[in-house]
Amino acid sequence: MTKALILEQLDGQIQGEIKDITPEQLPEGNVVVDINWSSINYKDALAITGKGKIIRDFPMVPGIDFAGTVQTSEDPRFRPGQSVLLTGFGVGETRWGGLAQQARVNGDWLIPIPEGLDQRKSMIIGTAGLTAMLCVMALEDGGVTPQSGEVLVTGASGGVGSVAVALLHKLGYQVSAVSGRLHNAEYLLSLGANLVLERDSFEEPAKPLEKQRWAGAVDVVGGPILAKVIAQMNYGATVAACGLAGGFQLPTTVMPFILRNVRLQGVDSVMTPQDRRLKAWQRLSELLPESFYQRATSEIGLDDVVKSANNLLDGKITGRVLVNVR
């Protein structure tokens, strides 16, 4: 028997309970992993609380990422005792996920934990950190360099934003962080932000074009805030957009894209090809300073997951939530 957070839908409401499961209950797959660490991402919080239509088949074990040790493997790329991690590929959404002590998955979805990381650190980074790294890589692909000018990060107090600030600072960018929680200013400055801005100033309706200010941006929010950011981009700038917390509508015009040659690059970490995924994880292992793992993390157990999911959606959590499933 192993433990898992099981979500059930009763009378239209999502209920989560820690239950014992047997190996026979695990979905099909060619690798069994004993999970030691997982995390709570924004998508996990939506699934666990039922505030987002993330899960459609029940019962479901949530958790879109995990790190653990291979127990058995029919995939020649993985061996028992090997440390691996998984993010995305529908795990925790359409297939049982990482908020459990064991998982059976497809080996195509796993990657070996890179040198310089361990299982715990890899889940402090987690899906949020991988997404942040992919956003930074999108800025680089768009030609944004530290010499190009200031880079903006919205939703900076959250998981993706926190990692993005730390990564951009490490790479030499001048980073401005937008947060709706100014009491987190000291935290964001400690991660490497040069300036912390109030979210209120980005919530006013955007004009088609506003004063040019940013060479690049990582947007975690979407909606009207993203429209405001786009209107303020420099000529030739790139915006990496990865979040929908502020809505999926984009009230803007084509003017910034045509008249200022602005590039809007969507970033998805769920189905990212493995070669780019491996490159991103290798860079994460090299770039994040040791201090990041202390500053940007709170640790909980499985019993605390439901409460923490609600707190995350209520804006009461800063940085990453690490889950010790043992």
Side-chain angles (χ1 to χ4, degrees), residues 125-139 153 158-168 171 218 220 240 242 267 269 280 284 288 292:
I125 297 170
T127 295
L130 172 63
T131 304
M133 186 73 250
L134 293 171
C135 285
V136 172
M137 291 164 66
L139 296 187
V153 177
V160 177
S162 293
V163 183
V165 169
L167 289 171
L168 289 164
L171 289 167
V218 173
V220 184
C242 65
V267 175
S269 65
L284 284 161
L288 287 174
F292 170 81

Side-chain angles (χ1 to χ4, degrees), residues 49-119:
T49 61
K51 295 180 180 178
K53 293 182 179 180
I54 306 298
I55 297 171
R56 301 185 185 277
D57 296 318
F58 296 89
M60 178 61 65
V61 176
I64 62 174
D65 53 24
F66 66 74
T69 304
V70 174
Q71 186 195 80
T72 61
S73 175
E74 299 171 6
D75 186 323
R77 294 171 293 181
F78 301 100
R79 64 185 187 279
Q82 184 177 8
S83 287
V84 294
L85 64 86
L86 184 150
T87 64
F89 294 106
V91 170
E93 300 179 63
T94 59
R95 291 178 57 91
W96 283 18
L99 290 169
Q101 294 177 337
Q102 197 171 77
R104 184 185 288 120
V105 297
N106 188 325
D108 290 339
W109 307 336
L110 294 169
I111 67 169
I113 292 181
E115 185 177 351
L117 293 179
D118 56 26
Q119 294 180 21

Side-chain angles (χ1 to χ4, degrees), residues 30-317:
N30 56 7
V31 183
V32 176
V33 180
D34 290 328
I35 300 173
N36 294 307
W37 301 96
S38 186
S39 70
I40 303 179
N41 299 277
Y42 186 77
K43 186 182 289 185
D44 294 317
L46 291 174
I48 292 164
T49 61
K51 295 180 180 178
K53 293 182 179 180
I54 306 298
I55 297 171
R56 301 185 185 277
D57 296 318
F58 296 89
M60 178 61 65
V61 176
I64 62 174
D65 53 24
F66 66 74
T69 304
V70 174
Q71 186 195 80
T72 61
S73 175
E74 299 171 6
D75 186 323
R77 294 171 293 181
F78 301 100
R79 64 185 187 279
Q82 184 177 8
S83 287
V84 294
L85 64 86
L86 184 150
T87 64
F89 294 106
V91 170
E93 300 179 63
T94 59
R95 291 178 57 91
W96 283 18
L99 290 169
Q101 294 177 337
Q102 197 171 77
R104 184 185 288 120
V105 297
N106 188 325
D108 290 339
W109 307 336
L110 294 169
I111 67 169
I113 292 181
E115 185 177 351
L117 293 179
D118 56 26
Q119 294 180 21
R120 186 177 188 275
K121 285 182 177 179
S122 70
M123 281 300 103
I124 292 175
I125 297 170
T127 295
L130 172 63
T131 304
M133 186 73 250
L134 293 171
C135 285
V136 172
M137 291 164 66
L139 296 187
E140 293 172 338
D141 292 344
V144 181
T145 69
Q147 292 71 42
S148 300
E150 290 182 86
V151 174
L152 187 72
V153 177
T154 68
S157 294
V160 177
S162 293
V163 183
V165 169
L167 289 171
L168 289 164
H169 171 71
K170 180 68 174 180
L171 289 167
Y173 291 86
Q174 296 293 306
V175 186
S176 294
V178 180
S179 177
R181 295 172 272 169
L182 281 189
H183 60 271
N184 286 329
E186 184 176 344
Y187 162 74
L188 292 169
L189 293 171
S190 75
L191 292 179
N194 301 94
L195 182 66
V196 179
L197 303 171
E198 291 190 62
R199 185 176 62 199
D200 290 354
S201 61
F202 288 83
E203 292 179 330
E204 299 172 1
K207 300 174 184 177
L209 293 173
E210 299 189 5
K211 182 179 179 180
Q212 297 183 53
R213 186 166 183 182
W214 317 111
V218 173
D219 177 68
V220 184
V221 182
I225 287 180
L226 174 56
K228 191 78 168 179
V229 171
I230 291 170
Q232 297 179 1
M233 301 308 294
N234 292 351
Y235 188 92
T238 294
V239 180
C242 65
L244 300 169
F248 59 84
Q249 298 288 346
L250 185 58
T252 188
T253 72
V254 298
M255 291 179 69
F257 307 110
I258 295 174
L259 299 182
R260 290 185 180 166
N261 200 33
V262 171
R263 173 179 176 179
L264 176 61
Q265 177 64 57
V267 175
D268 164 67
S269 65
V270 176
M271 301 304 296
T272 300
Q274 286 290 60
D275 56 345
R276 191 165 180 84
R277 191 182 294 261
L278 287 166
K279 181 179 180 181
W281 275 105
Q282 186 58 48
R283 292 190 68 187
L284 284 161
S285 72
E286 296 167 354
L287 289 173
L288 287 174
E290 191 65 30
S291 59
F292 170 81
Y293 300 102
Q294 283 77 47
R295 290 190 182 121
T297 312
S298 56
E299 183 177 326
I300 63 171
L302 268 180
D303 291 338
D304 302 315
V305 165
V306 174
K307 179 181 178 181
S308 291
N310 280 284
N311 286 340
L312 191 154
L313 294 183
D314 290 340
K316 297 178 181 178
I317 289 179

